[in-house]
Amino acid sequence: MASAENPVETGRNGRSGVQAEVYELKRERILEAAAELFAERGYNGTSMAAIADSLGATKPFVYYHFKDKHEILRETSRRGVVRAHAALDEVLGGGGSCVEQLDQACRALAEVTLANRAYAIVYSREMDRLSDEARAELAELRRSFDRRLGELIAEGCRRGEFQVDQPRVTATCISTMIIYSYGWFRDGGVLSAEQVAAHLALLARRMLGCEGAQG
Amino acid sequence: MASAENPVETGRNGRSGVQAEVYELKRERILEAAAELFAERGYNGTSMAAIADSLGATKPFVYYHFKDKHEILRETSRRGVVRAHAALDEVLGGGGSCVEQLDQACRALAEVTLANRAYAIVYSREMDRLSDEARAELAELRRSFDRRLGELIAEGCRRGEFQVDQPRVTATCISTMIIYSYGWFRDGGVLSAEQVAAHLALLARRMLGCEGAQG
């Protein structure tokens, strides 16, 4: 479901029902394969043929789903933040106290981030290869995520659930801490993704001066 | 002063006294100019001639101080983290409670980061252009910074000043939050660099469950 600030994942191109689902699934697989290759060999080092190969498919298959390599880069770069907005939509629509919503939002952001690390790596490294328009759209999507999180924090302050100055800057500090966990998290490390998400959510609650965030 | 874990800024090449100082100053200016250009035009888009031009100097001047463009990239990339280690040396050598040392370390890291934003931008974008050896050295410098911060947090936990699980992971969460402030901080924004540093230090104290970190 799309909110005013959350664009849906694009590309259905008027298809509906099973057709749309299959089309989306194929796009999804192409993006996953491309993100892995971009993360491994860089955008310049990855050809459309290599993306097709890694899926056991043909170049026309890839071109049927994406106009060109830049569109693939743009979509891989959007993936993480679009999903973060979707997760936030769900949390904010679910009701509950601000503390609860903040906790769920932080866990969801961490889980989305850690499940989509290749996308985050590609975005951070290949930002310069995006068109100005694509880069501006992404920057705005990131800002609007922090703005929405900042509004939740400000609301929690008004209700006396949080005690913190600078809700908007604090929101950015929290989302920064969570999003860049993709850089240090390792599969098979001391903590699982779920444990990291829980720890990040605890740290965020504490940053907001929540009562009872000592455990 | 160099600690076991903190390499000094390199390049004196046996010079001493005023000569060494002048040589260092010139290297410093070259690195600053190069970092600005790399951040603006990218590493590939910046020639040694352009670096010389921006200083009103000649290419031989630049080559007298650096072997090649890669050495400049390596040094610009090292700059931020080497200074962060130096700031931590000073804090840890200064004594005081763990709370005080942590507070000073966070402020110092934020100040170093915000005063050296071009270096951070270059490192994050051009990482792939570093040699494997240079990249490994930098990754190790970052890890050892977090390890040292983690040891301070663990010591604070033993003394009852902090209440937090996972001191090492928490140290990384704190340094991540602080270092990536280079991405959102703007000169002339709502908060000055000093105010951002103070806010980040407060958030870090709270993350550690410090008594009296509610103000």
Coordinates of all heavy atoms in Angstrom, one line a residue, chain B residues 104-187:
Chain B
Q104 N 34.3 12.8 26.0 CA 35.3 13.5 25.3 C 35.6 12.8 24.0 O 35.9 13.5 22.9 CB 36.6 13.7 26.1 CG 36.4 14.7 27.3 CD 37.5 14.4 28.4 OE1 38.5 13.7 28.1 NE2 37.2 15.0 29.5
A105 N 35.7 11.5 24.0 CA 36.0 10.7 22.8 C 35.0 11.0 21.7 O 35.3 11.1 20.5 CB 36.1 9.3 23.1
C106 N 33.7 11.0 22.1 CA 32.6 11.2 21.1 C 32.6 12.6 20.6 O 32.5 12.8 19.3 CB 31.2 10.9 21.8 SG 31.0 9.2 22.2
R107 N 32.8 13.6 21.4 CA 32.9 14.9 20.9 C 34.1 15.1 19.9 O 34.0 15.7 18.9 CB 33.1 15.9 22.1 CG 31.8 16.2 22.8 CD 32.1 17.1 24.0 NE 31.1 17.1 24.9 CZ 30.2 18.1 25.1 NH1 30.3 19.2 24.4 NH2 29.2 18.0 26.0
A108 N 35.2 14.5 20.4 CA 36.4 14.6 19.5 C 36.2 13.9 18.2 O 36.6 14.5 17.1 CB 37.6 14.0 20.2
L109 N 35.6 12.7 18.2 CA 35.4 12.0 16.9 C 34.4 12.8 16.0 O 34.7 12.9 14.8 CB 34.8 10.6 17.2 CG 34.5 9.8 16.0 CD1 35.7 9.5 15.2 CD2 33.8 8.4 16.4
A110 N 33.4 13.4 16.6 CA 32.5 14.2 15.9 C 33.2 15.4 15.3 O 33.0 15.8 14.1 CB 31.3 14.7 16.7
E111 N 34.0 16.1 16.1 CA 34.7 17.3 15.6 C 35.7 17.0 14.5 O 35.7 17.7 13.5 CB 35.3 18.0 16.8 CG 34.3 18.9 17.5 CD 34.7 19.2 19.0 OE1 35.9 19.1 19.3 OE2 33.8 19.6 19.7
V112 N 36.4 15.9 14.7 CA 37.4 15.4 13.6 C 36.6 15.1 12.4 O 37.0 15.5 11.3 CB 38.2 14.2 14.1 CG1 38.8 13.5 12.9 CG2 39.2 14.6 15.1
T113 N 35.5 14.4 12.5 CA 34.7 14.0 11.3 C 34.2 15.2 10.6 O 34.3 15.3 9.4 CB 33.5 13.2 11.8 OG1 34.0 12.0 12.4 CG2 32.6 12.8 10.6
L114 N 33.6 16.2 11.3 CA 32.9 17.3 10.7 C 33.9 18.3 10.1 O 33.6 19.0 9.2 CB 31.9 18.0 11.6 CG 30.8 17.1 12.0 CD1 29.8 17.8 13.0 CD2 30.0 16.6 10.8
A115 N 35.2 18.3 10.7 CA 36.2 19.2 10.2 C 36.9 18.5 9.0 O 37.7 19.2 8.3 CB 37.2 19.5 11.3
N116 N 36.6 17.3 8.7 CA 37.4 16.5 7.6 C 36.4 15.8 6.7 O 36.6 14.7 6.3 CB 38.3 15.5 8.2 CG 39.5 16.1 9.0 OD1 40.5 16.5 8.4 ND2 39.3 16.3 10.3
R117 N 35.3 16.5 6.4 CA 34.2 15.9 5.6 C 34.7 15.4 4.3 O 34.3 14.3 3.8 CB 33.0 16.8 5.5 CG 32.0 16.5 6.6 CD 30.8 17.4 6.6 NE 31.3 18.7 6.7 CZ 30.6 19.8 6.3 NH1 29.5 19.6 5.7 NH2 31.1 21.0 6.5
A118 N 35.5 16.2 3.6 CA 35.9 15.9 2.2 C 36.7 14.5 2.3 O 36.5 13.7 1.4 CB 36.8 16.9 1.6
Y119 N 37.5 14.3 3.3 CA 38.2 13.1 3.4 C 37.2 11.9 3.6 O 37.5 10.8 3.0 CB 39.2 13.1 4.7 CG 40.3 14.1 4.5 CD1 40.5 15.0 5.6 CD2 41.1 14.2 3.4 CE1 41.5 16.0 5.5 CE2 42.1 15.1 3.3 CZ 42.3 16.0 4.3 OH 43.3 16.9 4.2
A120 N 36.2 12.1 4.4 CA 35.2 11.0 4.6 C 34.5 10.7 3.3 O 34.2 9.5 3.0 CB 34.3 11.3 5.7
I121 N 34.1 11.7 2.6 CA 33.4 11.5 1.3 C 34.3 10.7 0.3 O 33.8 9.8 -0.3 CB 33.0 12.9 0.7 CG1 31.9 13.5 1.6 CG2 32.5 12.7 -0.7 CD1 31.6 15.0 1.3
V122 N 35.5 11.1 0.2 CA 36.4 10.5 -0.7 C 36.6 9.0 -0.3 O 36.5 8.1 -1.2 CB 37.8 11.2 -0.7 CG1 38.8 10.4 -1.5 CG2 37.7 12.6 -1.3
Y123 N 36.8 8.8 1.0 CA 37.0 7.4 1.4 C 35.8 6.5 1.1 O 35.9 5.4 0.5 CB 37.3 7.3 2.9 CG 37.3 5.9 3.5 CD1 38.3 5.0 3.1 CD2 36.3 5.5 4.3 CE1 38.3 3.7 3.6 CE2 36.3 4.2 4.8 CZ 37.3 3.3 4.5 OH 37.3 2.0 4.9
S124 N 34.6 7.0 1.3 CA 33.4 6.2 1.1 C 33.1 5.9 -0.4 O 32.7 4.9 -0.7 CB 32.2 6.8 1.8 OG 31.8 8.0 1.1
R125 N 33.5 6.9 -1.2 CA 33.1 6.8 -2.6 C 34.2 6.0 -3.4 O 33.9 5.4 -4.4 CB 33.0 8.1 -3.3 CG 31.7 8.8 -2.8 CD 31.2 9.6 -3.9 NE 30.4 10.7 -3.3 CZ 30.5 12.0 -3.6 NH1 31.4 12.3 -4.5 NH2 29.8 12.9 -3.0
E126 N 35.5 6.2 -3.0 CA 36.6 5.8 -3.8 C 37.3 4.5 -3.2 O 38.4 4.2 -3.7 CB 37.6 6.9 -4.0 CG 37.0 8.2 -4.5 CD 36.5 8.2 -6.0 OE1 36.7 7.2 -6.6 OE2 36.0 9.2 -6.4
M127 N 36.7 4.0 -2.2 CA 37.3 2.8 -1.6 C 37.8 1.7 -2.6 O 38.8 1.2 -2.4 CB 36.2 2.2 -0.7 CG 36.7 1.6 0.6 SD 35.3 0.8 1.4 CE 34.0 2.1 1.4
D128 N 36.9 1.5 -3.6 CA 37.3 0.5 -4.6 C 38.6 0.8 -5.4 O 39.1 -0.1 -6.0 CB 36.1 0.3 -5.6 CG 34.9 -0.2 -4.9 OD1 35.0 -0.7 -3.8 OD2 33.8 -0.2 -5.5
R129 N 39.0 2.0 -5.4 CA 40.2 2.4 -6.2 C 41.4 2.3 -5.4 O 42.5 2.4 -5.9 CB 40.0 3.8 -6.7 CG 38.8 4.0 -7.6 CD 38.8 5.2 -8.4 NE 37.4 5.5 -8.7 CZ 36.6 4.8 -9.5 NH1 37.1 3.8 -10.2 NH2 35.4 5.1 -9.7
L130 N 41.3 2.0 -4.1 CA 42.5 1.8 -3.2 C 43.0 0.4 -3.5 O 42.3 -0.5 -3.9 CB 42.1 1.9 -1.8 CG 41.8 3.3 -1.2 CD1 41.1 3.1 0.2 CD2 43.1 4.1 -1.1
S131 N 44.4 0.3 -3.4 CA 45.0 -1.1 -3.5 C 44.4 -2.0 -2.4 O 43.9 -1.4 -1.3 CB 46.5 -1.0 -3.4 OG 46.8 -0.6 -2.0
D132 N 44.5 -3.3 -2.6 CA 44.0 -4.2 -1.5 C 44.7 -3.9 -0.2 O 44.1 -3.9 0.9 CB 44.2 -5.6 -1.9 CG 43.3 -6.0 -3.1 OD1 42.3 -5.3 -3.4 OD2 43.6 -7.1 -3.7
E133 N 46.0 -3.7 -0.3 CA 46.7 -3.4 0.9 C 46.3 -2.2 1.7 O 46.1 -2.2 2.9 CB 48.2 -3.3 0.6 CG 49.2 -3.3 1.7 CD 50.4 -2.3 1.5 OE1 50.7 -2.1 0.3 OE2 50.9 -1.8 2.5
A134 N 46.1 -1.1 0.9 CA 45.6 0.1 1.5 C 44.2 0.0 2.1 O 44.0 0.5 3.2 CB 45.6 1.3 0.5
R135 N 43.4 -0.7 1.4 CA 42.0 -0.9 1.9 C 42.0 -1.8 3.2 O 41.3 -1.5 4.1 CB 41.2 -1.6 0.8 CG 39.7 -1.4 1.0 CD 38.9 -1.7 -0.2 NE 39.3 -2.9 -0.9 CZ 39.7 -2.9 -2.2 NH1 39.7 -1.9 -2.9 NH2 40.1 -4.1 -2.7
A136 N 42.9 -2.8 3.2 CA 42.9 -3.6 4.4 C 43.5 -2.8 5.6 O 43.0 -3.0 6.7 CB 43.8 -4.8 4.1
E137 N 44.5 -2.0 5.3 CA 45.0 -1.2 6.4 C 44.0 -0.2 7.0 O 43.8 -0.1 8.2 CB 46.2 -0.3 5.9 CG 46.9 0.5 7.0 CD 47.5 1.8 6.6 OE1 47.1 2.4 5.5 OE2 48.3 2.4 7.4
L138 N 43.2 0.4 6.1 CA 42.1 1.3 6.6 C 41.0 0.6 7.3 O 40.6 1.1 8.4 CB 41.5 2.0 5.4 CG 42.3 3.2 4.9 CD1 41.9 3.6 3.5 CD2 42.0 4.3 5.9
A139 N 40.6 -0.6 6.8 CA 39.6 -1.4 7.5 C 40.1 -1.7 8.9 O 39.4 -1.6 9.9 CB 39.2 -2.6 6.8
E140 N 41.4 -2.1 9.0 CA 42.0 -2.4 10.3 C 42.0 -1.2 11.3 O 41.8 -1.3 12.5 CB 43.4 -3.1 10.2 CG 44.0 -3.5 11.4 CD 43.2 -4.2 12.4 OE1 42.3 -5.0 12.0 OE2 43.4 -4.0 13.7
L141 N 42.4 0.0 10.7 CA 42.4 1.2 11.5 C 41.0 1.5 12.1 O 40.9 1.9 13.2 CB 42.9 2.4 10.7 CG 44.4 2.5 10.5 CD1 44.8 3.5 9.5 CD2 45.1 2.9 11.9
R142 N 40.0 1.3 11.2 CA 38.6 1.5 11.7 C 38.2 0.5 12.8 O 37.6 0.9 13.8 CB 37.6 1.4 10.6 CG 37.8 2.5 9.6 CD 36.4 2.9 9.0 NE 36.5 4.2 8.4 CZ 35.5 5.0 8.0 NH1 34.3 4.5 8.1 NH2 35.7 6.2 7.6
R143 N 38.5 -0.8 12.5 CA 38.2 -1.8 13.5 C 38.9 -1.5 14.8 O 38.4 -1.7 15.9 CB 38.6 -3.2 13.0 CG 37.5 -3.9 12.2 CD 37.8 -5.4 12.0 NE 39.1 -5.6 11.4 CZ 39.3 -5.7 10.1 NH1 38.3 -5.5 9.3 NH2 40.5 -5.9 9.6
S144 N 40.2 -1.1 14.8 CA 41.0 -0.9 16.0 C 40.4 0.3 16.8 O 40.5 0.3 18.0 CB 42.5 -0.9 15.8 OG 42.8 0.3 15.2
F145 N 39.9 1.3 16.0 CA 39.3 2.4 16.8 C 38.1 1.9 17.6 O 37.9 2.2 18.7 CB 38.8 3.5 15.8 CG 38.2 4.7 16.5 CD1 39.0 5.7 16.9 CD2 36.9 4.7 16.8 CE1 38.5 6.8 17.6 CE2 36.4 5.8 17.5 CZ 37.2 6.9 17.9
D146 N 37.2 1.1 16.9 CA 36.0 0.6 17.6 C 36.4 -0.3 18.8 O 35.8 -0.4 19.8 CB 35.1 -0.2 16.6 CG 34.4 0.8 15.7 OD1 34.5 2.0 15.9 OD2 33.8 0.3 14.7
R147 N 37.5 -1.1 18.5 CA 38.0 -2.0 19.6 C 38.4 -1.2 20.8 O 38.0 -1.5 22.0 CB 39.2 -2.8 19.1 CG 39.4 -4.1 19.7 CD 40.2 -5.1 18.8 NE 41.3 -4.5 18.2 CZ 41.7 -4.6 16.9 NH1 40.9 -5.3 16.1 NH2 42.8 -4.1 16.4
R148 N 39.1 -0.1 20.6 CA 39.6 0.7 21.7 C 38.4 1.4 22.4 O 38.3 1.5 23.7 CB 40.6 1.8 21.2 CG 41.8 1.2 20.6 CD 42.7 2.3 20.0 NE 43.4 3.1 21.0 CZ 43.9 4.3 20.8 NH1 43.9 4.8 19.6 NH2 44.6 4.9 21.8
L149 N 37.4 1.9 21.6 CA 36.2 2.5 22.2 C 35.5 1.4 23.0 O 34.9 1.7 24.1 CB 35.3 3.1 21.1 CG 34.3 4.1 21.5 CD1 34.9 5.3 22.1 CD2 33.4 4.5 20.3
G150 N 35.4 0.2 22.4 CA 34.7 -0.9 23.1 C 35.4 -1.3 24.4 O 34.7 -1.6 25.4
E151 N 36.7 -1.2 24.5 CA 37.4 -1.5 25.7 C 37.1 -0.4 26.8 O 36.9 -0.7 28.0 CB 38.9 -1.5 25.5 CG 39.3 -2.9 24.9 CD 40.7 -2.8 24.2 OE1 41.4 -1.8 24.4 OE2 41.0 -3.7 23.4
L152 N 37.0 0.8 26.4 CA 36.6 1.9 27.3 C 35.2 1.6 27.8 O 34.9 1.7 29.0 CB 36.6 3.2 26.6 CG 36.1 4.5 27.4 CD1 36.9 4.7 28.7 CD2 36.2 5.7 26.5
I153 N 34.3 1.2 26.9 CA 32.9 0.9 27.4 C 32.9 -0.3 28.3 O 32.2 -0.3 29.3 CB 32.0 0.7 26.1 CG1 31.9 2.0 25.3 CG2 30.6 0.1 26.5 CD1 31.2 1.8 24.0
A154 N 33.6 -1.3 28.0 CA 33.7 -2.5 28.8 C 34.2 -2.2 30.2 O 33.7 -2.6 31.3 CB 34.5 -3.6 28.2
E155 N 35.2 -1.3 30.3 CA 35.8 -0.9 31.5 C 34.8 -0.1 32.3 O 34.6 -0.3 33.5 CB 37.1 0.0 31.3 CG 37.7 0.6 32.5 CD 38.2 -0.4 33.5 OE1 38.4 -1.6 33.1 OE2 38.3 -0.1 34.7
G156 N 34.0 0.8 31.6 CA 32.9 1.5 32.3 C 31.9 0.6 32.8 O 31.3 0.9 33.9
C157 N 31.6 -0.5 32.1 CA 30.6 -1.5 32.6 C 31.1 -2.1 33.9 O 30.4 -2.3 34.9 CB 30.3 -2.5 31.6 SG 29.3 -1.9 30.2
R158 N 32.4 -2.5 33.9 CA 33.0 -3.1 35.1 C 32.9 -2.2 36.3 O 32.7 -2.6 37.4 CB 34.4 -3.6 34.8 CG 34.6 -4.9 34.0 CD 36.0 -5.4 34.0 NE 36.9 -4.5 33.2 CZ 37.1 -4.6 31.9 NH1 36.5 -5.5 31.2 NH2 37.9 -3.8 31.3
R159 N 33.1 -0.9 36.0 CA 33.1 0.1 37.1 C 31.7 0.5 37.5 O 31.5 1.3 38.4 CB 33.9 1.3 36.7 CG 35.4 1.1 36.5 CD 36.1 2.4 36.5 NE 37.4 2.4 35.9 CZ 38.1 3.4 35.5 NH1 37.6 4.7 35.7 NH2 39.3 3.3 35.0
G160 N 30.7 0.0 36.8 CA 29.3 0.4 37.1 C 28.9 1.7 36.6 O 27.9 2.3 36.9
E161 N 29.8 2.3 35.7 CA 29.4 3.6 35.1 C 28.4 3.4 33.9 O 27.6 4.3 33.6 CB 30.6 4.3 34.7 CG 31.6 4.7 35.8 CD 32.8 5.5 35.3 OE1 32.6 6.4 34.5 OE2 33.9 5.2 35.7
F162 N 28.6 2.3 33.2 CA 27.7 2.1 32.1 C 26.9 0.8 32.3 O 27.4 -0.1 33.0 CB 28.5 1.9 30.8 CG 29.4 3.0 30.4 CD1 30.7 2.8 29.9 CD2 29.0 4.3 30.5 CE1 31.5 3.8 29.5 CE2 29.8 5.4 30.1 CZ 31.1 5.1 29.6
Q163 N 25.7 0.7 31.7 CA 25.0 -0.5 31.8 C 24.6 -0.9 30.4 O 23.6 -0.3 29.8 CB 23.7 -0.4 32.6 CG 23.9 -0.5 34.1 CD 24.4 0.8 34.7 OE1 24.0 1.9 34.3 NE2 25.4 0.8 35.6
V164 N 25.3 -1.7 29.7 CA 25.0 -2.1 28.4 C 25.6 -3.5 28.0 O 26.6 -3.9 28.5 CB 25.5 -1.0 27.4 CG1 27.0 -1.1 27.1 CG2 24.8 -1.1 26.0
D165 N 24.8 -4.3 27.3 CA 25.4 -5.5 26.7 C 26.2 -5.2 25.5 O 26.1 -4.2 24.9 CB 24.2 -6.5 26.3 CG 23.5 -7.0 27.6 OD1 24.1 -7.0 28.7 OD2 22.3 -7.3 27.4
Q166 N 27.0 -6.2 25.1 CA 27.7 -6.1 23.8 C 28.5 -4.8 23.7 O 28.3 -4.0 22.8 CB 26.7 -6.1 22.7 CG 25.8 -7.4 22.7 CD 26.6 -8.7 22.4 OE1 27.7 -8.6 21.9 NE2 26.1 -9.8 22.7
P167 N 29.5 -4.6 24.5 CA 30.3 -3.3 24.5 C 30.9 -3.1 23.1 O 30.9 -1.9 22.6 CB 31.4 -3.5 25.5 CG 30.9 -4.5 26.4 CD 29.9 -5.4 25.7
R168 N 31.4 -4.1 22.5 CA 32.1 -4.0 21.2 C 31.2 -3.5 20.1 O 31.4 -2.6 19.3 CB 32.8 -5.3 20.9 CG 33.6 -5.3 19.6 CD 34.8 -4.4 19.6 NE 35.5 -4.5 18.3 CZ 35.0 -4.1 17.2 NH1 33.9 -3.4 17.1 NH2 35.7 -4.3 16.1
V169 N 30.0 -4.2 20.0 CA 29.0 -3.9 19.0 C 28.5 -2.5 19.3 O 28.3 -1.7 18.4 CB 27.8 -4.9 19.0 CG1 26.6 -4.4 18.2 CG2 28.3 -6.2 18.4
T170 N 28.3 -2.2 20.5 CA 27.7 -0.9 20.9 C 28.7 0.2 20.5 O 28.3 1.3 20.1 CB 27.4 -0.8 22.4 OG1 26.5 -1.9 22.7 CG2 26.7 0.5 22.8
A171 N 30.0 0.0 20.7 CA 31.0 0.9 20.3 C 30.9 1.2 18.8 O 31.0 2.4 18.4 CB 32.4 0.4 20.6
T172 N 30.7 0.1 18.0 CA 30.6 0.3 16.6 C 29.3 1.1 16.2 O 29.3 2.0 15.3 CB 30.6 -1.1 15.9 OG1 31.8 -1.7 16.2 CG2 30.5 -0.9 14.4
C173 N 28.2 0.8 17.0 CA 27.0 1.6 16.7 C 27.2 3.1 17.0 O 26.8 4.0 16.3 CB 25.9 1.1 17.6 SG 25.3 -0.5 17.2
I174 N 28.0 3.4 18.1 CA 28.3 4.8 18.4 C 29.2 5.4 17.4 O 28.9 6.5 16.9 CB 28.9 4.9 19.8 CG1 27.9 4.5 20.9 CG2 29.5 6.3 20.1 CD1 28.4 4.5 22.3
S175 N 30.2 4.8 17.0 CA 31.2 5.4 16.0 C 30.5 5.5 14.7 O 30.7 6.5 14.0 CB 32.5 4.6 15.9 OG 32.3 3.4 15.2
T176 N 29.6 4.6 14.3 CA 28.9 4.7 13.1 C 28.0 5.9 13.1 O 28.0 6.7 12.1 CB 28.0 3.4 12.9 OG1 28.9 2.3 12.8 CG2 27.2 3.5 11.6
M177 N 27.2 6.0 14.1 CA 26.3 7.2 14.2 C 27.1 8.5 14.1 O 26.7 9.4 13.4 CB 25.6 7.2 15.6 CG 24.8 8.4 15.9 SD 24.0 8.4 17.6 CE 25.5 8.7 18.6
I178 N 28.3 8.6 14.7 CA 29.0 9.8 14.7 C 29.7 10.0 13.4 O 29.6 11.1 12.8 CB 30.1 9.8 15.9 CG1 29.3 9.8 17.2 CG2 31.0 11.0 15.8 CD1 30.3 9.7 18.4
I179 N 30.4 9.0 12.9 CA 31.2 9.2 11.6 C 30.3 9.6 10.5 O 30.6 10.4 9.7 CB 32.0 7.9 11.3 CG1 33.2 7.8 12.3 CG2 32.5 8.0 9.9 CD1 33.8 6.4 12.3
Y180 N 29.1 8.9 10.4 CA 28.3 9.2 9.2 C 27.5 10.5 9.3 O 26.7 10.8 8.4 CB 27.4 8.0 8.9 CG 28.2 6.9 8.3 CD1 28.6 5.8 9.0 CD2 28.5 6.9 6.9 CE1 29.4 4.8 8.5 CE2 29.3 5.9 6.4 CZ 29.7 4.8 7.2 OH 30.5 3.9 6.6
S181 N 27.7 11.2 10.4 CA 27.1 12.6 10.5 C 27.7 13.5 9.4 O 27.1 14.5 9.0 CB 27.4 13.2 11.9 OG 28.7 13.4 12.1
Y182 N 28.8 13.1 8.8 CA 29.4 13.9 7.7 C 28.4 13.9 6.5 O 28.4 14.8 5.7 CB 30.7 13.4 7.2 CG 30.7 12.2 6.3 CD1 30.4 12.3 4.9 CD2 30.8 10.9 6.8 CE1 30.3 11.2 4.1 CE2 30.8 9.8 5.9 CZ 30.5 10.0 4.6 OH 30.4 8.9 3.8
G183 N 27.5 12.9 6.5 CA 26.6 12.8 5.3 C 25.4 13.8 5.4 O 24.9 14.1 4.4
W184 N 25.0 14.1 6.6 CA 23.9 15.0 6.8 C 24.2 16.4 7.3 O 23.4 17.3 7.2 CB 22.8 14.3 7.6 CG 23.1 13.9 9.0 CD1 23.5 12.6 9.4 CD2 23.2 14.7 10.2 NE1 23.8 12.6 10.7 CE2 23.6 13.8 11.2 CE3 22.9 16.0 10.4 CZ2 23.8 14.3 12.5 CZ3 23.1 16.5 11.7 CH2 23.5 15.6 12.8
F185 N 25.3 16.5 7.9 CA 25.6 17.9 8.5 C 25.8 18.9 7.4 O 26.4 18.6 6.4 CB 26.9 17.8 9.4 CG 27.3 19.1 9.9 CD1 26.6 19.7 11.0 CD2 28.3 19.9 9.3 CE1 27.0 20.9 11.4 CE2 28.7 21.1 9.8 CZ 28.0 21.7 10.9
R186 N 25.3 20.1 7.6 CA 25.5 21.2 6.6 C 26.0 22.4 7.4 O 25.4 22.8 8.4 CB 24.2 21.5 5.9 CG 23.6 20.5 5.0 CD 24.4 20.2 3.7 NE 23.9 19.1 3.0 CZ 24.3 17.8 3.2 NH1 25.3 17.6 4.1 NH2 23.8 16.8 2.5
D187 N 27.0 23.0 6.8 CA 27.5 24.3 7.4 C 26.3 25.3 7.3 O 25.6 25.3 6.2 CB 28.7 24.8 6.6 CG 29.9 24.1 6.9 OD1 30.2 23.9 8.1 OD2 30.7 23.7 6.0

